[in-house]
Amino acid sequence: MSRTVLQDGFSAYLDAWEARIGSFLEKDAETIAGSAVLGADREPGYASDSTKGVLRGLPFGVKDNIAVKDMRLSCGSRLLDGFRSPYSATAVARLAAVGAMPAGKTNMDEFGMGSSTDNSAFMRTNNPWDVERVAGGSSGGSAAAVAAGLVPFALGSDTGGSVRQPANFCGVVGLKPTYGAVSRFGLVAYASSLETIGVLADSVARARTVFAAMRGADPLDQTSFDAPADAPSLLPLGGKPAEPRAIGVLSPSAVAKALASTLSGQAGPAGNGGPDEAAREASAAAMLEPEVALGFEAAKEGLRALGHRLVDVELPSLKYGVPAYYTIATAEASANLARFDGIRYGNRPAYAENPDGLIDGARGSGFGDEVKLRILLGTFVLRSGFQDRYYLRAQRIRTGIRLDFNRVLAGVDAVLMPVFPTRAFGRGERGLSPFAQKAADLFTCCANLAGLPALAFPTGVEGGLPVGVQLVGKAFGEGLLLDVAEGYEAAHPIARPAGYRAFWG
Amino acid sequence: MMKYQSFIGLEVHIHLLTKSKAFCSCRAAFGDEPNSNVCPVCMGYPGVLPALNGEAMRMGAVVARALNCTLSPKTWFERKQYFYPDMPKNYQISQFASPLGVDGWVDIPAGGGGPASSAAGTATKRIRIKECHLEEDAGKMIHAGNVSLVDYNRAGTSLLEIVTEPDFETGAEAECYVQQLRRTVRYLGVCDGNMEEGSLRCDANVSVNLRGQGLGSKVEIKNLNSSRFVRLGLDYEIERQVALVEKGGMVRQETRLWNENRDQTETMRVKESSNDYRFFPEPDLPPFSADAGFISSVEAGLVELPFDRERRVGSEFGLSREQVTIVCEERAFADYFEAAVAEAERLGMDKKVAAERVAIWMTGELKRVMNRDGLGAADVGALKVTGARLAAIVALVASGRISGKIARQLFDAALVEEAEPADIVAARGWELVVDPARIAAAVEEAIAAEPSAFSGAAAATAGGDVGKARTLSAFLVGKAIGASGGKAEPGLVKAAVEARVTAAATAL
């Protein structure tokens, strides 16, 4: 079967939606990326999963930090405005190899740093459910484009929730695969040890086929792996009910309480916010807003009704997740973003007295404030003599979180968690402070710290906005998570925003 | 000088002879068009990842083992962070916490001295090797007028850094170590050792202090791009530091450059605070665990090292120290020698005699021809005269089948013809005539042609004028050889002439 992007009325549909939401930084439905990624021939990972052909002719959006040959690769940054990639990411090449077509580059928070996509240097992306609200981030463009039906799926990257949170905000499926399951070659690095390329899709089944096509070891990414032989199958359910599973439920209120327990009792400098004030704010930011809590309870009921067994579980180390996450992420970012110096590519001042001046000028004018903040933080935590206090301590917390998950997942098949404490937030007064946005990464960032797969899927609509949950599973257990979510979707079809038309079958 | 003690530690960087770069598949080659051997990976483009070249790990481990280091069962890489325009990622992938090899040693001749003194019986000094670690090189920045240009061909090529403890005391010792290390890595086939082109680079740390007081204030010296400069630079620096301390001054901790035009070290930069490289583990590369296959490939790469080979060749073959030095200069040259001797033995020659003859050929005629043709000792394998063919020439001479003069003609012919020496001799009819009848005929021909010389020789012999008799006999021998077309075996001709002269003298 062959499809074309230019179906009846689609052009007008695309233009009308784009005028309202602004999800693409570049659209080119005619472009079909060459499959050549630096000359290497690769076996796509779908062979054993009977999904061959399903993706043929489908266009997809690609977050603008994932390389598509000859397309822009700006990462939402002024520094890389105008830069075109000389090669394609392995994930893109594998999708192209089964006939899918990269159709454009989607907006994002600069270098993936943000939860709203408002940190893009180029434009805002609005939520298709309410254009006054953000699409989430950092893969906001991909989420909005899929939610509006402009593409059936899009690639994103998930460093601490950047696929799942915008998927949750826009009411689409967001899969963050196991660390190493999908090659990172061609993904512009923010925090290398945490991030993966992920899928935002209009259905669970679609997310499954996309993941199946792009996963698998890649010689160009030595941290990538094939799934072990005993990993859950990626075969589609094909209308059959999902096998009943034991699902651990992480109680959000218990998490908020645990966070409050990190109060040190020490007052900070007067009027300047101390550790306790920060802990209090973090605890408050992790409290679910009522609509999200309502949606979470409804999802539990829905899963029970499908025959799954729900048990309460605890992850004691989770309360340290956000500080550990930001310590590791910014440390790696400070090195990963060092290459953007304007010398070999990217924008730079027309004239500089010396190389240092050139680098200063390029970075000073090329990077946005949030990026500069995180580079500074990362540089700070890696200073010689301070690594034990920050970076190495964060790594120990990371190990603790991994062990917590291992312990819990020894007893259950998956852990059910909220994705984000709020639905899509607004801007200005109705927005979240930058600090609160970071603190709210609590539920998503732990899967990245543990390297585990996590699947966010919509479960309903509360107060006019989508709500959903996520399932975190064992390493290479994507198939099991997808089965549970696909069963849920069969019983509770995904709601679409007003004006949505289904073009993609 | 005995009042003071000097401490020198060396950091030697060698370019490994891997076909491709350390973390991408670009060609690792020098002298190509600027920026022709580059790709998105070694140019630090957005989104690319390094992929470790296993051959670089193997070669690095071979060097580490040859320097008696313990191989780390598990190693990983760190990012060493600093901004410099010739470094594409603005961090260098290097090893910090888990070097490939640690705690090794090498022996050098005590007091330094040339490699010639490393033969058997010389006292040695042990130099501790702190570590060997693998890293990537940077590009090259060229300043031209008011622009700066960068060539990234070298960026990402494999470097092995070999760090010693501060165990050297003199420039001569350091020079000797560098020369020995250079020969070692060439023997191992992992580096061409070319210091002028920067394939082997040496930085030194040096300090002086009152004897027994431990390390002094450390100065780093760069730009020591020949082993001679290593010696000159360090001796200069030790003298400078001692003079400073003698005057009651303090040695400033700094980096100095060797100025080869002025024969002195000069301040490059003063270290006010040490650089903070913010090392952290490279998340893009998984830790490397040496498995059995890797270990055996490393062991297979180990060869007898120059120092050991010199000792063995000296004692096993009875060569002179000078011959040993030349024969063992390069592994290929020493292999050539041993192959030639073994073949000569197989052809029936005594081992010591064969070794002596082969060594004379190699240090004389062979060297001369290779120098003439611009070939180094390592290129000996390119010659048509293989070790076995040289052995055949030596054996032909030893068995009296050709003369020494013919042997040189034969050697010259064998240099250009792809043929066995015996076949060349046969084809050209160069074999000496030993048949007594033919020798006698030649002698008679000479006597007939020079009757006065013959009678003069007989008379001189009878009269006891030994000098005149010898001169005239030698003249007749030359004539007889000439009469045979130069092919009569000189010893036999000489005996035949002398017999005829003696007979004639007796008859007088």
Side-chain angles (χ1 to χ4, degrees):
Chain A
M1 66 182 180
S2 172
R3 298 187 188 83
T4 163
V5 182
L6 306 172
Q7 297 179 43
D8 285 348
F10 181 77
S11 256
Y13 179 83
L14 176 67
D15 291 344
W17 266 112
E18 268 303 89
R20 294 178 63 213
I21 61 172
S23 60
F24 280 98
L25 291 170
E26 169 181 335
K27 294 189 297 288
D28 185 358
E30 304 299 314
T31 298
I32 301 171
S35 60
V37 178
L38 298 178
D41 256 355
R42 268 167 231 100
E43 278 292 311
Y46 57 72
S48 60
D49 298 301
S50 311
T51 53
K52 194 171 181 174
V54 177
L55 297 173
R56 183 161 306 281
L58 283 184
F60 63 101
V62 181
K63 188 179 180 178
D64 204 24
N65 62 349
I66 299 170
V68 181
K69 192 171 190 303
D70 299 330
M71 284 195 184
R72 59 180 286 136
L73 184 58
S74 76
C75 305
S77 179
R78 208 163 290 295
L79 197 148
L80 289 175
D81 191 13
F83 176 75
R84 302 218 152 239
S85 178
Y87 71 100
S88 286
T90 300
V92 170
R94 288 185 178 182
L95 289 169
V98 294
M101 306 181 298
K105 302 305 292 285
T106 58
N107 198 20
M108 60 181 286
D109 289 307
E110 186 176 5
F111 289 107
M113 298 176 179
S115 305
S116 63
T117 305
D118 284 357
N119 287 344
S120 164
F122 303 110
M123 62 184 199
R124 286 175 169 182
T125 293
N126 298 321
N127 194 305
W129 291 78
D130 176 354
V131 293
E132 298 301 314
R133 291 173 186 266
V134 302
S138 62
S139 312
S142 287
V146 173
L150 310 186
V151 279
F153 71 93
L155 298 186
S157 63
D158 194 312
T159 311
S162 282
V163 161
R164 290 161 289 158
Q165 187 257 23
N168 183 250
F169 276 19
C170 293
V172 299
V173 177
L175 172 65
K176 177 208 105 66
T178 308
Y179 184 78
V182 175
S183 168
R184 287 185 296 118
F185 189 82
L187 166 63
V188 181
Y190 158 24
S192 318
S193 76
L194 295 164
E195 64 207 3
T196 67
I197 288 179
V199 190
L200 298 105
D202 57 3
S203 70
V204 175
R206 186 104 67 198
R208 183 197 300 269
T209 55
V210 174
F211 172 64
M214 57 182 196
R215 72 177 176 147
D218 173 14
L220 297 176
D221 175 4
Q222 294 184 337
T223 65
S224 65
F225 299 94
D226 286 325
D230 60 351
S233 151
L234 284 179
L235 289 172
L237 279 184
K240 296 194 300 284
E243 195 181 317
R245 298 289 181 182
I247 296 173
V249 180
L250 184 73
S251 148
S253 58
V255 171
K257 221 163 72 191
L259 274 177
S261 77
T262 61
L263 294 180
S264 66
Q266 294 161 356
N272 206 7
D276 276 5
E277 197 177 319
R280 230 172 266 119
E281 199 181 339
S283 168
M287 288 291 288
L288 302 193
E289 69 170 352
E291 290 85 352
V292 173
L294 211 63
F296 192 71
E297 291 307 314
K300 280 161 67 177
E301 279 315 307
L303 287 167
R304 264 194 211 101
L306 289 164
H308 301 296
R309 184 168 62 84
L310 272 55
V311 293
D312 285 338
V313 295
E314 281 181 19
L315 292 162
S317 57
L318 194 66
K319 59 192 174 201
Y320 303 115
V322 170
Y325 166 74
Y326 275 96
T327 302
I328 294 166
T330 57
E332 293 183 6
S334 70
N336 281 331
L337 271 61
R339 70 184 59 195
F340 303 115
D341 55 15
I343 292 180
R344 284 145 290 119
Y345 52 79
N347 300 311
R348 63 182 180 198
Y351 175 82
E353 274 299 327
N354 51 47
D356 282 352
L358 181 94
I359 295 172
D360 283 354
R363 292 168 72 81
S365 59
F367 288 148
D369 288 346
E370 184 66 28
V371 172
K372 287 176 182 167
L373 172 72
R374 294 195 195 190
I375 290 172
L376 285 171
L377 270 173
T379 306
F380 178 84
V381 301
L382 282 178
R383 283 171 310 158
S384 147
F386 292 83
Q387 291 206 355
D388 203 47
R389 194 188 296 180
Y390 299 110
Y391 182 72
L392 296 176
R393 191 173 174 196
Q395 293 290 9
R396 286 192 290 275
I397 293 172
R398 180 179 195 170
T399 304
I401 289 173
R402 191 180 291 138
L403 293 175
D404 259 2
F405 266 111
N406 285 351
R407 179 182 51 75
V408 167
L409 286 167
V412 296
D413 296 307
V415 178
L416 181 73
M417 293 166 72
V419 179
F420 202 76
T422 70
R423 297 163 299 157
F425 49 82
R427 297 182 171 104
E429 289 296 298
R430 297 166 62 213
L432 283 180
S433 76
F435 180 86
Q437 284 185 36
K438 291 184 175 73
D441 285 341
L442 176 72
F443 298 111
T444 45
C445 73
C446 53
N448 302 81
L449 287 166
L452 298 175
L455 177 67
F457 58 97
T459 53
V461 176
E462 296 289 347
L465 293 170
V467 292
V469 295
Q470 65 172 330
L471 288 166
V472 180
K474 294 168 187 156
F476 295 100
E478 286 86 353
L480 189 149
L481 307 183
L482 289 159
D483 285 354
V484 173
E486 194 171 332
Y488 192 96
E489 185 188 334
H492 309 269
I494 295 174
R496 308 294 178 186
Y500 177 93
R501 273 176 65 193
F503 280 90
W504 309 111
Chain B
M1 286 295 276
M2 283 311 288
K3 185 176 164 193
Y4 293 96
Q5 192 170 4
S6 46
F7 302 89
I8 302 166
L10 296 182
E11 290 174 8
V12 175
H13 287 87
I14 61 167
H15 262 139
L16 297 176
L17 286 171
T18 50
K19 287 195 183 67
S20 56
K21 294 185 179 184
F23 300 111
C24 66
S25 54
C26 282
R27 216 164 86 84
F30 304 98
D32 289 356
E33 272 295 293
N35 297 312
S36 57
N37 296 325
V38 296
C39 73
V41 174
C42 56
M43 288 287 273
Y45 266 54
V48 296
L49 296 171
L52 176 60
N53 180 342
E55 186 61 4
M57 284 299 272
R58 190 194 65 80
M59 286 186 177
V62 165
V63 174
R65 282 285 295 110
L67 301 179
N68 303 295
C69 288
T70 305
L71 291 187
S72 306
K74 184 178 163 190
T75 66
W76 58 90
F77 290 87
E78 273 92 5
R79 293 182 180 179
K80 180 179 180 178
Q81 306 190 61
Y82 59 98
F83 280 83
Y84 205 74
D86 66 8
M87 195 163 61
K89 300 183 293 296
N90 287 312
Y91 59 79
Q92 180 192 30
I93 302 179
S94 183
Q95 293 191 298
F96 179 65
S98 64
L100 200 50
V102 294
D103 298 333
W105 53 265
V106 291
D107 288 333
I108 61 164
S117 59
S118 61
T122 313
T124 59
K125 174 173 180 173
R126 183 152 290 189
I127 303 299
R128 292 169 297 158
I129 306 291
K130 185 167 180 267
E131 64 176 64
C132 297
H133 67 254
L134 196 61
E135 59 190 26
E136 58 179 336
D137 206 350
K140 269 185 190 160
M141 190 151 74
I142 302 136
H143 302 282
N146 61 346
V147 295
S148 299
L149 304 168
V150 198
D151 175 8
Y152 292 98
N153 278 354
R154 202 179 67 181
T157 53
S158 334
L159 274 187
L160 187 75
E161 181 173 339
I162 302 158
V163 185
T164 75
E165 297 288 356
D167 290 350
F168 306 96
E169 285 184 76
T170 64
E173 285 181 354
E175 177 185 34
C176 181
Y177 166 82
V178 170
Q179 288 173 342
Q180 193 170 309
L181 183 62
R182 179 179 175 278
R183 287 204 306 155
T184 298
V185 296
R186 288 180 60 87
Y187 258 60
L188 294 168
V190 299
C191 173
D192 66 21
N194 191 326
M195 291 188 82
E196 291 72 40
E197 286 177 13
S199 313
L200 190 154
R201 307 199 285 263
C202 181
D203 298 332
N205 290 304
V206 56
S207 70
V208 300
N209 209 344
L210 288 169
R211 198 159 282 277
Q213 301 278 297
L215 299 171
S217 184
K218 191 171 75 176
V219 169
E220 187 179 1
I221 310 178
K222 290 186 175 288
N223 203 33
L224 298 169
N225 53 17
S226 84
S227 57
R228 192 173 139 259
F229 294 156
V230 170
R231 172 168 52 82
L232 294 177
L234 286 167
D235 285 346
Y236 174 89
E237 184 60 22
I238 290 167
E239 212 169 294
R240 186 188 74 85
Q241 292 186 17
V242 167
L244 252 177
V245 177
E246 276 284 283
K247 279 190 293 186
M250 294 265 287
V251 174
R252 191 167 56 169
Q253 189 161 324
E254 61 183 350
T255 300
R256 298 176 71 87
L257 278 185
W258 170 249
N259 184 327
E260 61 181 83
N261 298 317
R262 296 187 183 170
D263 278 357
Q264 63 185 33
T265 63
E266 294 164 358
T267 297
M268 177 189 169
R269 60 168 179 261
V270 179
K271 280 193 181 172
E272 277 155 3
S273 58
S274 59
N275 283 331
D276 185 350
Y277 293 119
R278 290 174 285 121
F279 284 100
F280 77 101
E282 167 57 89
D284 291 333
L285 294 168
F288 179 89
S289 294
D291 57 15
F294 179 76
I295 299 286
S296 63
S297 75
V298 170
E299 297 300 327
L302 289 172
V303 299
E304 187 181 26
L305 297 179
F307 195 72
D308 302 322
R309 191 154 192 180
E310 283 183 350
R311 275 203 276 215
R312 181 176 61 77
V313 167
S315 61
E316 183 180 337
F317 297 95
L319 299 188
S320 74
R321 192 168 281 186
E322 288 69 26
Q323 285 175 324
V324 165
T325 304
I326 297 174
V327 164
C328 295
E329 181 185 341
E330 295 285 349
R331 175 161 57 109
F333 213 54
D335 287 348
Y336 183 97
F337 170 78
E338 294 201 48
V341 174
E343 174 65 9
E345 270 191 275
R346 197 184 67 77
L347 294 171
M349 286 184 74
D350 172 72
K351 181 174 176 177
K352 288 266 160 80
V353 173
E356 192 205 345
R357 304 311 302 168
V358 169
I360 287 169
W361 273 99
M362 286 180 69
T363 57
E365 203 58 14
L366 191 68
K367 260 288 188 192
R368 186 185 63 76
V369 166
M370 291 179 73
N371 287 342
R372 182 195 70 195
D373 296 347
L375 297 174
D379 307 318
V380 69
L383 295 180
K384 291 194 172 75
V385 186
T386 59
R389 286 176 179 168
L390 181 64
I393 295 172
V394 165
L396 284 167
V397 177
S399 64
R401 292 178 60 202
I402 59 170
S403 67
K405 190 170 157 225
I406 293 290
R408 272 191 294 279
Q409 285 179 37
L410 174 58
F411 179 79
D412 287 341
L415 277 173
V416 292
E417 289 172 38
E418 190 67 67
E420 295 307 320
D423 297 339
I424 296 174
V425 166
R428 307 264 165 101
W430 282 346
E431 190 155 353
L432 291 178
V433 171
V434 291
D435 173 15
R438 288 180 62 192
I439 299 263
V443 169
E444 291 312 320
E445 195 180 330
I447 290 170
E450 303 286 347
S452 60
F454 178 69
S455 55
T461 302
D465 187 346
V466 177
K468 190 177 179 195
R470 193 178 288 154
T471 305
L472 290 170
S473 293
F475 173 75
L476 289 168
V477 167
K479 285 291 171 188
I481 291 175
S484 73
K487 290 183 205 162
E489 204 279 319
L492 296 175
V493 175
K494 189 164 171 261
V497 168
E498 278 168 2
R500 285 281 277 117
V501 169
T502 306
T506 312
L508 279 176

